[in-house]
Amino acid sequence: MPFAFPFDMGQLNDAPLSPLWITIPYVFGLSVLTELAALLSIGLVRGWGEVVPNWIPVIGGRRVPPMAAVPPAVVGGLLLTAVSVWMALTWIGVSGRMAYENGWWQALAMVCITPLALWGPIVLALAYAYHVRRRPGRSWSVTL
């Protein structure tokens, strides 16, 4: 969120600043999309990912088709894994690296961003487990 308001958190960036009327909705929009993706990832392990909760009109109580959950999860997991590989290449110096005012800012950035590197492989593992659990011929009882 600090990037929505021109606080660069120690980054030395010579690029011209975008106007606030662009950066604020952009950064907040990315934050909302990230939160939605995280919540949908939780659906791969919770009951509401297999049966739509009853409080949702029209489709409540129906089973979620596995093809509605597994392909988007795999695509998302692969995209997040690609981001992780790009981050790793950046950290070892293969790709362009952001300059920081000092080592403390760089260490803070790495600590804050490192959990993102695990998100892609975890989503892929969750998608696989969801697929195995929801294969035809298997019966599971789901309680909401």
Side-chain angles (χ1 to χ4, degrees):
M1 287 298 174
F3 297 108
F5 309 96
F7 180 62
D8 291 329
M9 298 185 63
Q11 292 182 349
L12 300 175
N13 191 357
D14 295 334
L17 293 174
S18 298
L20 287 180
W21 67 271
I22 293 173
T23 58
I24 292 174
Y26 175 72
V27 172
F28 277 92
L30 284 178
S31 297
V32 168
L33 287 175
T34 302
E35 291 297 324
L36 287 173
L39 289 173
L40 288 174
S41 298
I42 293 170
L44 294 171
V45 295
R46 299 292 304 177
W48 56 266
E50 295 183 18
V51 177
V52 179
N54 289 327
W55 57 268
I56 296 179
V58 182
I59 61 171
R62 293 185 185 172
R63 290 182 57 84
V64 174
M67 290 304 289
V70 175
V74 169
V75 169
L78 290 173
L79 288 172
L80 289 168
T81 302
V83 169
S84 303
V85 169
W86 175 71
M87 282 181 358
L89 291 174
T90 300
W91 289 346
I92 62 173
V94 174
S95 177
R97 181 176 235 181
M98 177 61 68
Y100 289 90
E101 290 177 12
N102 57 48
W104 292 107
W105 280 114
Q106 185 173 359
L108 177 64
M110 291 183 84
V111 166
C112 291
I113 293 173
T114 298
L116 178 65
L118 299 174
W119 193 7
I122 288 172
V123 169
L124 290 173
L126 292 175
Y128 176 73
Y130 186 91
H131 169 71
V132 168
R133 195 171 61 247
R134 298 289 309 274
R135 276 192 302 224
R138 298 192 64 147
S139 64
W140 292 86
S141 62
V142 177
T143 57
L144 297 178

